[in-house]
Amino acid sequence: MAGIKEIRNKIKSVQNTRKITKAMEMVAASKMRKAQDRMRAGRPYARKVHGMAASLMQANPDYRHPFLTERENLRAVGIVVVTSDKGLCGGLNTNIMRLVLARVREFAQKNIKCQFTALGNKGLGVLTRIGSDLVSQEVGLGDTPELDRLVGAVKVQLDDFIAGRIDALYIATNRFINTMSQEPIFLRLLPLPGNLPDPYAAFTPLVGEQADHASSEFGWDYLYEPDSKSVIDELLQRYLEGLVYQAVAESMASEQSARMVAMKAASDNAKKVIGDLQLVYNKTRQAAITKEISEIVGGAAAV
């Protein structure tokens, strides 16, 4: 049985650990509310701008943007991976990377190459270790997503799509459901999927599987001012910015919620361990005292 001093040191160590996890739980709880409010405020905008852009799939303007054109015989795709910069948030990052790697294997079976953009340090670390084709990255995002930094990293993929070096662009992130639940999702950004009015409501088909566009008896027709090119270019730019920003906002809200839950579980486990160690300490101390009394009594009897 361990000595009294050793057990006392273990108790002190676990108590110090519990103080840290409790403090991290409180910090995550304070950040969680702001992150959730930011995420919920962005959802209506992302849903609306996506619905407007999706309507263009059924329109017939004089100008048709490359983002609206489905491509066949796909050879390469781009994947934007959104993760957290820090750990200690349960299985949040593990789940999203497991989903990404599963989709990459599916692409590989179809002889489709993948290139990556990493938003967040944890995803960057995994992609670097597996030797993936990393074309851009952005880490140290902080607690508030900055649109300029996000779009700057994704622009490399957009340029490759327009140039024909990739034929589709996907984004992987965690969708916030509630404080206890976050769901990893894999969404198609480009070409514009016309069958998803809400990009956070369902999965999109994989590359090679044609999307079932929303059917309509009549085609859409619009009047553009000043011209179709200016309106469509601006609309699709806002569409991409809105979805990338919302993906990061969802990930940040999921991160703080997962961290709060993980740190609470760690604090509860530490409390239980302290109780168990305290019981062992008391038993060991009692046994030591009993032994000393027995030795004293035995010595007195011998005299």
Side-chain angles (χ1 to χ4, degrees), residues 98-138:
R98 185 181 293 118
L99 174 62
V100 170
L101 295 178
R103 295 301 172 90
V104 170
R105 286 193 292 269
E106 294 180 21
F107 290 136
Q109 293 174 358
K110 301 176 184 179
N111 295 321
I112 299 175
K113 297 180 180 179
C114 299
Q115 65 181 41
F116 296 88
T117 292
L119 299 179
N121 191 50
K122 291 300 179 179
L124 174 62
V126 175
L127 295 174
T128 302
R129 285 195 299 271
I130 65 176
S132 60
D133 183 11
L134 191 65
V135 296
S136 61
Q137 64 188 54
E138 190 65 50

Side-chain angles (χ1 to χ4, degrees), residues 38 80-86 117-123 137-154 173 244-245 247-249 251-252 255-256:
R38 189 183 306 112
V80 180
V81 181
V82 183
T83 58
S84 66
D85 285 313
K86 301 177 182 178
T117 292
L119 299 179
N121 191 50
K122 291 300 179 179
Q137 64 188 54
E138 190 65 50
V139 297
L141 299 176
D143 298 326
T144 304
E146 298 179 10
L147 187 58
D148 292 341
R149 296 177 62 189
L150 303 178
V151 174
V154 178
T173 186
V244 171
Y245 180 91
V248 176
S251 179
M252 288 183 174
E255 174 191 356
Q256 298 300 337

Side-chain angles (χ1 to χ4, degrees), residues 66-79 106-114 160-161 164-170 186 188-192 204-211:
F67 291 171
L68 301 174
T69 305
E70 290 280 351
R71 300 179 183 179
E72 299 180 357
N73 301 322
L74 307 182
R75 300 162 299 170
V77 299
I79 302 176
E106 294 180 21
F107 290 136
Q109 293 174 358
K110 301 176 184 179
N111 295 321
I112 299 175
K113 297 180 180 179
C114 299
D160 286 347
F161 181 85
R165 289 187 286 271
I166 61 175
D167 301 304
L169 179 60
Y170 289 80
F186 197 79
R188 191 177 76 178
L189 289 180
L190 298 174
L192 179 64
T204 55
L206 288 177
V207 170
E209 302 175 5
Q210 294 297 327

